Amino acid sequence: MKAKLISTILISLLIGLTVQAVTKLEKIKVKGQCDMCENRIETGVKSLDGVASAQWDKSTKSLKVSYDDQKTDMQKIQTSIAMAGHDTEMFSASESGYNKLPDCCQYKRDENRKKNNHHGATESVYKKVEKSGACCNNK
């Protein structure tokens, strides 16, 4: 009887562990310039289902993102950033998306960046992020 109870508990525990989502923490490079960029990048990423946190560091141009890998993935996260006008390791923002950034947010773009990304994103993430407010002068 005791062995049966232990077996049942172990099986329940194993099933519970396999169903649980895995929270991942990733760090990626994201081009940007100022506090407005930080707000735009973080807001766009945080709006995705499954993202627990996003923190962009303007000095290192790195985004730390924590997310549920059952609900989203790095492709969706980096797509949302590119749709907001910022280049990432995986995707480059479209010219029109980049050109919508305020002047002080327009960073130097890599001439070898990926062009004509066809990642199936919509502009909904970009539209959610307000472009108003004073911009930093820290190019």
Side-chain angles (χ1 to χ4, degrees):
M1 184 69 167
K2 201 175 197 181
K4 189 174 182 180
L5 179 61
I6 292 173
S7 296
T8 304
I9 291 171
L10 286 174
I11 290 171
S12 297
L13 183 61
L14 287 173
I15 290 171
L17 290 175
T18 58
V19 173
Q20 281 185 336
V22 176
T23 300
K24 288 191 170 185
L25 180 62
E26 301 269 351
K27 190 173 182 181
I28 58 171
K29 292 289 186 184
V30 179
K31 300 278 185 145
Q33 291 287 100
C34 64
D35 292 337
M36 284 178 58
C37 296
E38 178 179 9
N39 182 53
R40 186 180 308 104
I41 293 163
E42 290 177 0
T43 301
V45 172
K46 288 177 185 176
S47 72
L48 295 172
D49 186 34
V51 173
S53 67
Q55 186 175 15
W56 184 72
D57 183 322
K58 67 183 172 186
S59 63
T60 62
K61 312 292 189 227
S62 294
L63 175 73
K64 291 180 188 175
V65 61
S66 175
Y67 63 97
D68 177 342
D69 72 346
Q70 298 292 313
K71 295 181 179 181
T72 194
D73 57 35
M74 285 310 297
Q75 182 172 347
K76 290 177 187 172
I77 291 168
Q78 291 194 42
T79 296
S80 73
I81 296 166
M83 293 307 301
H86 295 273
D87 296 346
T88 71
E89 297 167 336
M90 194 179 285
F91 298 115
S92 295
S94 67
E95 288 299 315
S96 64
Y98 173 79
N99 290 333
K100 287 179 185 176
L101 296 175
D103 289 343
C104 66
C105 294
Q106 293 185 358
Y107 47 89
K108 184 176 179 177
R109 297 188 88 183
D110 180 3
E111 294 301 320
N112 298 318
R113 71 185 178 279
K114 297 173 182 133
K115 295 186 180 185
N116 300 323
N117 292 322
H118 299 289
H119 39 79
T122 65
E123 298 221 8
S124 61
V125 171
Y126 181 76
K127 290 176 184 173
K128 287 181 184 178
V129 180
E130 191 64 39
K131 292 197 315 179
S132 65
C135 192
C136 303
N137 291 323
N138 59 346
K139 276 197 169 184

